[in-house]
Amino acid sequence: MKGTHLGEFEELVLLTCALLVDTAYSVTIAAEIEKQTNRSITLSTVHTALYRLEEKGFVESYMGGATGERGGRRRRLYRISAAGFDALNQARSIRDNMWQMMPDYKF
């Protein structure tokens, strides 16, 4: 397993994989991130993040069944691993701690 640091986009992709149980593949991941963040997402950025997350051991990929809409080709689906879930919890904990330390700004 490579480094365990999560970049912002990797965290979004990992969260989305966790949300899209049994339906997480590049197209659905990109669509959900676009919906939640109002950001334009390319499939290549999603693929790059998925490859990195898989190298780190945070997601696992597997082949889904063939579908007519894809001309009988199978989809590569992704699911969060236990290590990925731990990484998300760690990232959340760090952010929560820092937000709690935030001074009360008066602008």
Side-chain angles (χ1 to χ4, degrees):
M1 180 163 71
K2 282 188 143 188
T4 57
H5 175 75
L6 277 178
E8 182 218 1
F9 190 71
E10 287 178 332
E11 186 176 345
L12 285 173
V13 171
L14 190 55
L15 275 167
T16 306
C17 285
L19 295 173
L20 299 174
V21 180
D22 297 326
T23 61
Y25 72 104
S26 58
V27 174
T28 58
I29 293 167
E32 187 63 25
I33 293 173
E34 285 182 352
K35 178 181 163 188
Q36 296 298 326
T37 65
N38 292 319
R39 289 168 53 175
S40 181
I41 306 298
T42 65
L43 290 179
S44 63
T45 58
V46 172
H47 283 133
T48 300
L50 287 167
Y51 295 143
R52 276 196 230 119
L53 290 168
E54 195 165 23
E55 276 185 0
K56 293 176 182 182
F58 294 160
V59 296
E60 301 162 345
S61 67
Y62 61 99
M63 296 306 290
T67 62
E69 67 190 33
R70 292 177 42 88
R73 294 182 321 199
R74 297 166 47 173
R75 291 183 177 139
R76 178 167 300 281
L77 298 166
Y78 294 85
R79 69 177 145 242
I80 189 169
S81 67
F85 191 75
D86 289 344
L88 282 178
N89 278 322
Q90 183 180 7
R92 181 180 183 181
S93 177
I94 290 168
R95 280 183 178 67
D96 287 348
N97 288 337
M98 292 183 79
W99 274 105
Q100 289 175 3
M101 294 170 29
M102 182 74 77
D104 187 22
Y105 285 98
K106 306 220 188 295
F107 292 101

